[in-house]
Amino acid sequence: MDMEQKFTSKTWPESPEKTTLEGKNKFLGFWLFLGGETVLFASLFATYLALKDRVPDNSHALAQDMFELPLVFIMTMLLLTSSLTSVYAMYHMKNYNFKKMQTWLLITVGLGLAFLGFEIYEFNHYVHAFDHTFTSSAFGSGFYTLVGFHGAHVVIGLGWFILLLIRNSRRGLNLYNAPKFFVASLYWHFIDVVWVFIFTVVYLMGMVG
Amino acid sequence: MSTVVQKKGFFPVLWDYLTTVDHKKIAILYLISGGFFFLVGGLEAMVIRIQLAVPDSNFVSAGLYNEILTMHGTTMIFLAAMPLLFAFMNAVVPLQIGARDVAFPFLNSLGFWLFFFGGIFLNLSWFLGGAPDAGWTSYASLSLASEGHGIDFYVLGLQISGAGTLIAGINFLVTIINMRAPGMTYMRMPLFTWSTFVASALILFAFPPLTVGLFLMLFDRMFGANFFDHTMGGNTIIWEHLFWIFGHPEVYILILPAFGIFSEIFATFSRKRLFGYSAMVFATVLIGFLGFMVWVHHMFTVGLGPTANAIFAVATMAIAVPTGVKIFNWMLTMWGGSIKFTTPMLYAVAFIPSFVAGGVTGVMLAVAAADYQYHDTYFVVAHFHYVIIGGVVLGLLAGTHFYWPKMFGTMLNETLGKVTFWLFLIGFHLTFFIQHFLGLMGMPRRIWKYLPNQGLEVGNAISTVGAFFMAAGVLVLIYNIIITQVRNERVGNDPWGDGRTLEWAIASPPPFYNFKQLPLVRGLDPYWIEKMEGNDRMTPAEPIGDIHMPNNSFIPFVMSLGLFIAAFGAMYQVDWRASDGAEYGWAIPVLVIGMLITIGSMAVRSLKDDHGYHVHKEDLEKDDEEGGRL
Ligand code: HEM
Ligand SMILES: [Cu+2]
């Protein structure tokens, strides 16, 4: 099959991400990879919970002292919305509407960047207002590792979207790049789901003590 | 069609292997490097046994002994046993399911090179200030106190090679799910394919906890974090949990493929369909599930309390049930069969009592209260060597003899094979049987020396003699391999004469595209079915057509090399910071350059389209007329 073959919205298959064998493999392999990532984050969550509020002495700030709802609520909304916009992008991908897919992906990237900005502000705030650093206590190590791993995933997800957008900016959709866009958006959803857990386990449960 | 031309000469062949994405060549790479690390680990084992041969010995110093012991375990598990199993999985599984390649040929190559560079990195510790010395389990309370860079080599080396293993696991899962030939339903898959499938699923879910554990250790040792430092609120038990949540599934990652190899061998040389096929499949899957629910049996003495210990003790004992099912099925496969005692079959037959002995001591150890007595003694050493050597290593040696003709097109000498077998089997039992009793008499494991007149002399002396027998067996095997390859007598499709599964229906070694036409699978043991109906080849499921093949690539090598370089930077930036920037100024730049190489090659891979190429129908037909040169 010619991978560069041009389509029209009529001839474009229903599930372009799974039409070729390569696409099918990529789709399944990526789901499995996300299964492994789930275990990875589960291990990080378990570590965080074991070390939550574990500090060398009581001069150190605890979860209850630091976390504030408004900030993390905004971050949650940003990321949830970006998940929705990436769904729109995939909707247009399936309808062979490249322009609209690009637009929605750009919006997704914008929201992701905004989230990242807030996260950098947040970390900076904890370091300066509370002396809560990566090395100050086991609590600090656990917190920055869990939330930082998530943040690193956001960075990778954004880099991935941007790279795909640049590479394909002028050639439109085909059966070679459709699976790539699709798995990138799967990754983005996964990041969003992890954040929902962070929001609950780290922040909400942290604020109640 | 330059790709169809055979490459000759040293450098073209070298380049071919550095860039190959062909599962059969990657299998050979795994076999060679896994074999190399097996010899290194074996040498370390010999030093251990020589040191312990007599009481109060000073053959090696205490510190060096700890390093050798640690490197022996780590090398054997991560760099020898697993890669050797991957060698056979790569060589055989795509053929057994009737596929032209794995699902992700590029990632297959990447997985290999990550493992390779991780292993080299770990072993370079010998030349760069000392090897890790906190045991293969590297418990945090020990390893955080270890000076020098030994533990850093362990952490970074395993992190790199672990990434390769995870990739290989995903690759096999997708290959087996998506790439089966027409008619190859799940319940027609050969047992080796099934066990590869389950082992790959275990890899997928067991390696991430190790990855996290290694990251935490890396952050603690290299970036000032406090996960395991209790004075800062940390908790050293976290490492033990993460390690064993990985570690117990890991032992099943090793044994299940070995079970698979034995299942193939039992059926082949009993010339009988495997007894209780569906029970075998079910038992394999069940072992896979249960494997995740027993890790605390390694931590009975930590003090998690009687409730936790009791639950995990019962769960552990439960694994003996599906394992027993398999043992009985193998024996009933032989029952009434017309058995041929080839070298692989000898290994298979010897495996049963050896492995059962290890299983019995396993159930003894699973009795939590009794484990307080056994734990950290030579009894445990005897247990895991009975299951790992009596199971995994016998499986690997059996597989080497059994699949050698399929991988290389030559047949290992049977007489020498049997000499290896007897030397190795006798040596194995001589070495480890007595260790049960040494353990019960109170000899602690990982001990550097023992004093005279404590009743430990005879047992240890016998054990060392046994080790020399095993070494002799391995030397005979190496000799066998060399003369076989020098004589280079080519064999046909089915050199054992009793092949049952698809890999025996095509040439040895197979052409690079494996199947000219995908075979039609009509039942379990498809090739056997065809032979019983008087056919000498598989019924094709498609007309001859163009075959799509992936391009070779140098990127996996470069990507892995980048991480290898970056690891040095990550390690020595600790000294750079310790010296307040006075020394090791190159550390951070090296870290950055290494990461840039890796990320850059990922970007190249992502930006450059790679559509592969086609082997044309005409070339295939012409090749048929010329007698199958391709
Ligand atoms: C019937 C099945 C099995 C049972 C009930 C069992 C049980 C156990 C128990 C309770 C221990 C901990 C002993 C202690 O440290 O005090 C142990 C250790 C060990 N087992 Fe098994 N086991 C079984 C099969 C296997 C298999 C199939 C393998 C590998 C192929 C294996 C490899 C190991 C290893 C490597 C250790 C030692 C780990 C270390 O501390 O370094 N076991 N086993
Ligand atoms: Cu275990």
Side-chain angles (χ1 to χ4, degrees):
Chain A
M1 190 184 306
D2 177 17
M3 287 287 197
E4 301 276 5
Q5 188 189 340
K6 290 273 179 272
F7 287 85
T8 67
S9 53
K10 288 260 169 350
T11 57
W12 187 238
E14 194 154 335
S15 302
E17 75 279 6
K18 283 183 289 188
T19 301
T20 61
L21 180 63
E22 284 78 8
K24 236 187 286 189
N25 287 344
K26 200 169 265 178
F27 179 78
L28 178 64
F30 203 77
W31 267 109
L32 293 171
F33 170 73
L34 290 183
E37 287 258 280
T38 306
V39 184
L40 184 117
F41 274 103
S43 309
L44 288 170
F45 273 106
T47 307
Y48 171 78
L49 285 176
L51 297 179
K52 182 181 168 230
D53 290 344
R54 296 299 172 118
V55 290
D57 58 62
N58 49 23
S59 70
H60 289 255
L62 302 182
Q64 236 176 341
D65 311 323
M66 289 188 297
F67 301 153
E68 285 167 48
L69 195 55
L71 180 70
V72 282
F73 182 74
I74 296 173
M75 290 166 70
T76 307
M77 283 303 134
L78 283 171
L79 214 55
L80 284 180
T81 317
S82 78
S83 216
L84 183 69
T85 54
S86 78
V87 173
Y88 286 150
M90 286 311 108
Y91 171 79
H92 291 300
M93 190 275 277
K94 293 208 171 185
N95 285 336
Y96 203 65
N97 192 336
F98 185 63
K99 277 274 157 325
K100 285 200 173 148
M101 183 196 82
Q102 274 180 316
T103 315
W104 283 110
L105 279 185
L106 279 174
I107 296 174
T108 306
V109 169
L111 290 166
L113 285 172
F115 170 87
L116 217 55
F118 276 104
E119 183 147 85
I120 292 170
Y121 163 80
E122 185 205 357
F123 283 6
N124 196 41
H125 175 66
Y126 295 152
V127 168
H128 290 107
F130 298 101
D131 281 333
H132 179 65
T133 70
F134 186 62
T135 54
S136 64
S137 65
F139 174 39
S141 307
F143 171 79
Y144 287 109
T145 302
L146 171 60
V147 185
F149 256 74
H150 175 267
H153 277 71
V154 173
V155 173
I156 294 171
L158 289 175
W160 193 357
F161 274 143
I162 292 170
L163 213 61
L164 279 177
L165 284 171
I166 295 175
R167 172 66 184 91
N168 297 295
S169 60
R170 255 173 305 181
R171 71 168 166 180
L173 282 166
N174 59 34
L175 289 179
Y176 185 69
N177 59 25
K180 295 191 177 207
F181 281 112
F182 194 84
V183 293
S185 84
L186 271 184
Y187 188 70
W188 195 253
H189 288 310
F190 175 77
I191 294 173
D192 197 41
V193 172
V194 172
W195 178 261
V196 172
F197 279 91
I198 293 185
F199 178 66
T200 317
V201 172
V202 176
Y203 293 104
L204 290 185
M205 283 166 63
M207 274 177 278
V208 297
Chain B
M1 284 301 325
S2 63
T3 29
V4 180
V5 175
Q6 294 278 323
K7 300 198 175 67
K8 293 246 164 57
F10 178 73
F11 286 103
V13 169
L14 181 69
W15 179 249
D16 188 35
Y17 273 88
L18 290 180
T19 59
T20 187
V21 294
D22 179 345
H23 69 97
K24 298 175 290 299
K25 288 184 178 155
I26 291 175
I28 292 174
L29 289 173
Y30 270 120
L31 191 73
I32 294 173
S33 19
F36 168 74
F37 285 123
F38 180 71
L39 295 181
V40 173
L43 211 63
E44 286 154 358
M46 294 313 290
V47 176
I48 295 174
R49 277 324 315 168
I50 293 171
Q51 163 68 19
L52 294 178
V54 292
D56 206 11
S57 152
N58 284 315
F59 181 65
V60 288
S61 69
L64 183 59
Y65 182 82
N66 287 347
E67 293 175 25
I68 291 173
L69 183 94
T70 301
M71 285 300 280
H72 164 68
T74 314
T75 304
M76 284 303 199
I77 299 265
F78 292 98
L79 308 181
M82 280 220 286
L84 287 170
L85 289 168
F86 282 154
F88 296 123
M89 293 179 185
N90 262 306
V92 177
V93 168
L95 304 181
Q96 279 195 334
I97 61 173
R100 294 223 166 89
D101 207 325
V102 292
F104 305 111
F106 178 89
L107 289 184
N108 202 13
S109 154
L110 180 61
F112 169 76
W113 289 111
L114 284 170
F115 142 69
F116 180 79
F117 278 110
I120 296 291
F121 185 82
L122 180 56
N123 274 280
L124 282 180
S125 61
W126 285 119
F127 309 102
L128 297 169
D133 57 358
W136 84 282
T137 53
S138 204
Y139 276 16
S141 32
L142 261 183
S143 53
L144 284 192
S146 170
E147 283 165 15
H149 282 304
I151 304 294
D152 304 339
F153 277 105
Y154 172 95
V155 168
L156 292 162
L158 290 191
Q159 198 70 290
I160 296 173
S161 75
T165 308
L166 190 67
I167 288 173
I170 293 179
N171 193 6
F172 280 119
L173 284 172
V174 180
T175 303
I176 294 172
I177 295 174
N178 275 356
M179 310 278 284
R180 283 168 290 133
M184 179 58 83
T185 59
Y186 282 106
M187 290 311 272
R188 286 175 182 173
M189 291 191 326
L191 245 270
F192 183 50
T193 299
W194 258 112
S195 56
T196 299
F197 185 69
V198 176
S200 302
L202 292 184
I203 289 176
L204 175 60
F205 296 115
F207 266 72
L210 177 70
T211 307
V212 169
L214 290 172
F215 264 124
L216 305 189
M217 178 83 75
L218 189 150
F219 290 161
D220 262 19
R221 280 190 59 101
M222 285 166 249
F223 296 95
N226 305 300
F227 289 102
F228 308 127
D229 180 357
H230 68 97
T231 61
M232 298 295 281
N235 184 343
T236 155
I237 305 300
I238 292 175
W239 167 268
E240 291 186 33
H241 278 299
L242 289 174
F243 187 86
W244 288 119
I245 290 173
F246 147 77
H248 189 83
E250 165 69 15
V251 304
Y252 286 99
I253 293 168
L254 294 176
I255 197 66
L256 287 179
F259 283 177
I261 292 175
F262 283 130
S263 299
E264 305 293 328
I265 292 173
F266 278 121
T268 303
F269 295 113
S270 304
R271 291 180 269 188
K272 219 180 119 204
R273 188 193 141 126
L274 189 71
F275 187 88
Y277 171 84
S278 28
M280 285 300 243
V281 172
F282 181 68
T284 309
V285 176
L286 191 63
I287 291 176
F289 271 110
L290 289 176
F292 279 102
M293 296 169 209
V294 299
W295 81 90
V296 167
H297 67 218
H298 296 275
M299 301 167 65
F300 281 150
T301 58
V302 162
L304 299 175
T307 316
N309 278 6
I311 291 172
F312 280 92
V314 173
T316 302
M317 293 173 198
I319 296 199
V321 178
T323 314
V325 168
K326 299 192 78 110
I327 299 279
F328 281 107
N329 280 334
W330 287 317
M331 295 199 292
L332 290 168
T333 304
M334 288 188 286
W335 185 271
S338 111
I339 299 178
K340 229 199 268 175
F341 279 103
T342 58
T343 308
M345 189 61 173
L346 285 178
Y347 280 107
V349 172
F351 147 79
I352 290 186
S354 310
F355 187 80
V356 167
V360 169
T361 53
V363 177
M364 289 171 73
L365 291 166
V367 183
D371 186 57
Y372 273 72
Q373 197 64 35
Y374 308 134
H375 183 62
D376 262 347
T377 69
Y378 259 79
F379 191 79
V380 175
V381 177
H383 158 66
F384 67 72
H385 283 94
Y386 260 80
V387 279
I388 291 185
I389 301 188
V392 184
V393 177
L394 291 188
L396 287 169
L397 291 171
T400 305
H401 289 87
F402 188 50
Y403 289 121
W404 192 270
K406 195 42 68 183
M407 291 177 78
F408 295 96
T410 54
M411 194 86 163
L412 289 175
N413 181 300
E414 274 286 284
T415 313
L416 287 175
K418 286 174 184 168
V419 172
T420 304
F421 166 76
W422 286 111
L423 283 173
F424 197 86
L425 187 77
I426 293 170
F428 158 61
H429 285 283
L430 211 53
T431 310
F432 294 106
F433 190 70
I434 195 79
Q435 291 187 359
H436 293 107
F437 301 98
L438 288 173
L440 293 176
M441 286 190 287
M443 179 167 165
R445 80 187 268 203
R446 292 177 173 158
I447 198 83
W448 161 55
K449 62 162 76 167
Y450 52 93
L451 295 177
N453 303 320
Q454 294 185 330
L456 301 176
E457 286 99 326
V458 179
N460 274 297
I462 293 176
S463 190
T464 301
V465 172
F468 278 95
F469 273 83
M470 279 197 275
V474 173
L475 290 180
V476 174
L477 175 61
I478 295 173
Y479 174 69
N480 194 353
I481 289 174
I482 293 172
I483 60 156
T484 302
Q485 291 313 97
V486 170
R487 283 189 198 144
N488 200 17
E489 289 162 16
R490 312 306 294 179
V491 295
N493 295 3
D494 185 15
W496 296 105
D498 298 306
R500 311 178 70 82
T501 41
L502 285 178
E503 72 269 34
W504 305 109
I506 50 175
S508 314
F512 63 95
Y513 48 79
N514 296 352
F515 297 91
K516 198 164 285 175
Q517 294 162 285
L518 290 183
L520 181 67
V521 176
R522 298 192 290 148
L524 184 65
D525 296 338
Y527 185 43
W528 185 259
I529 293 178
E530 300 290 341
K531 283 200 277 191
M532 288 301 106
E533 294 183 2
N535 305 331
D536 66 338
R537 55 172 66 199
M538 296 302 298
T539 315
E542 58 173 16
I544 293 192
D546 288 1
I547 297 176
H548 180 247
M549 297 299 296
N551 287 326
N552 280 6
S553 173
F554 192 47
I555 297 178
F557 183 93
V558 180
M559 227 184 255
S560 315
L561 182 69
L563 286 181
F564 175 79
I565 295 172
F568 283 103
M571 198 162 65
Y572 287 106
Q573 56 82 25
V574 177
D575 305 81
W576 172 70
R577 285 188 299 164
S579 70
D580 278 326
E583 286 169 81
Y584 295 98
W586 48 266
I588 296 282
V590 164
L591 175 60
V592 173
I593 291 171
M595 289 314 290
L596 284 181
I597 293 176
T598 298
I599 294 171
S601 41
M602 283 163 89
V604 172
R605 171 68 186 168
S606 170
L607 294 177
K608 234 179 90 206
D609 286 3
D610 182 0
H611 293 310
Y613 67 96
H614 284 88
V615 185
H616 294 291
K617 186 179 161 193
E618 298 73 39
D619 290 325
L620 290 170
E621 277 164 351
K622 199 164 114 242
D623 181 48
D624 250 357
E625 286 156 22
E626 289 167 9
R629 175 187 49 86
L630 282 185

